[in-house]
Amino acid sequence: MGRPKELSQVELAAHPRMVRRQAILWSIVLPGAALLGWFMLPASIRVLFTGLQIGTLVFFVLIMLGIVWVMAMCWVKAGPEGVVLRNGLKRYHVPWDAVAAVRYWPGDSWAFLEKGHLDQPVLALQRVDGRYTDEDVEVLRELHARYAPVRPASDVAVPGAEGGEG
């Protein structure tokens, strides 16, 4: 399948701000707390730990930091060809003709690219970043309006319309 293609022209580039600050903070606090806890133990207790037990502690600290940094390294770029984004460890290229709308409702934790029955979360645009995300979502909506092909009214999905009730 290969890597998603890069955009020839980027009109929006965004990343999560608060999560990156949190990742930096936790990269200091978590190892610092582990070291502090280790050296607060009396030497007579520290000598009882095996190399495997110490390695397990280090392993779990690194796993926790890895999870935070994977979320912190998300990004989104958009241009005339569509949207390229990184969510976690995976990259996606979403052409504008596959995007029905850019959703960012008041209760959403992050923005979404609506793609029919399967919405694509955009983890780089998170509610916690406040006005920065609001501005970036507006730019993304403007780019969608500019570059996405016009869809006939019959192609636009209406939530709850299929299947009916009762």
Side-chain angles (χ1 to χ4, degrees), residues 7 11 38 40 44-46 50-51 81 87 91 99 102-103 106 122 129 144-145:
L7 300 175
E11 296 182 38
W38 175 255
M40 287 186 69
S44 60
I45 302 246
R46 285 195 309 257
T50 66
E81 300 108 48
N87 282 347
R91 290 177 55 170
V99 178
V102 176
R103 187 181 86 215
V122 183
D129 289 328
H144 177 258

Side-chain angles (χ1 to χ4, degrees), residues 2 6-7 11 14 29 40 42 44 47-49 51 53 55 68-69 78 82 101 128 130-131 148 164:
E6 291 295 323
L7 300 175
E11 296 182 38
V29 170
M40 287 186 69
S44 60
V47 298
L48 299 175
F49 283 83
Q53 290 170 326
V68 172
W69 275 105
V128 71
R131 69 177 172 84

Side-chain angles (χ1 to χ4, degrees), residues 6-164:
E6 291 295 323
L7 300 175
S8 61
Q9 180 183 355
V10 175
E11 296 182 38
L12 169 71
H15 63 273
R17 290 166 174 84
M18 179 63 75
V19 174
R20 284 196 178 175
R21 286 193 294 267
Q22 290 291 322
I24 292 167
L25 177 70
W26 283 111
S27 294
I28 297 166
V29 170
L30 205 53
L35 286 172
L36 179 65
W38 175 255
F39 287 111
M40 287 186 69
L41 289 173
S44 60
I45 302 246
R46 285 195 309 257
V47 298
L48 299 175
F49 283 83
T50 66
L52 183 60
Q53 290 170 326
I54 295 169
T56 301
L57 172 66
V58 171
F59 172 75
F60 281 109
V61 167
L62 292 175
I63 289 293
M64 289 185 275
L65 289 176
I67 291 168
V68 172
W69 275 105
V70 163
M71 291 303 296
M73 298 311 293
C74 294
W75 50 260
V76 60
K77 296 176 184 175
E81 300 108 48
V83 180
V84 176
L85 57 111
R86 178 177 170 182
N87 282 347
L89 297 175
K90 192 159 183 185
R91 290 177 55 170
Y92 302 89
H93 176 261
V94 184
W96 286 120
D97 61 357
V99 178
V102 176
R103 187 181 86 215
Y104 186 56
W105 294 337
D108 290 339
S109 296
W110 43 74
F112 290 87
L113 300 177
E114 291 187 356
K115 303 180 341 182
H117 295 294
L118 181 64
D119 295 343
Q120 175 70 56
V122 183
L123 300 180
L125 300 176
Q126 298 184 6
R127 171 87 45 209
V128 71
D129 289 328
R131 69 177 172 84
Y132 296 109
T133 297
D134 294 340
E135 293 166 3
D136 290 338
V137 167
E138 280 309 310
V139 171
L140 194 57
R141 286 178 174 153
E142 290 168 9
L143 293 173
H144 177 258
R146 185 180 323 148
Y147 296 121
V150 177
R151 294 171 175 248
S154 61
D155 285 354
V156 177
V158 177
E162 59 281 326

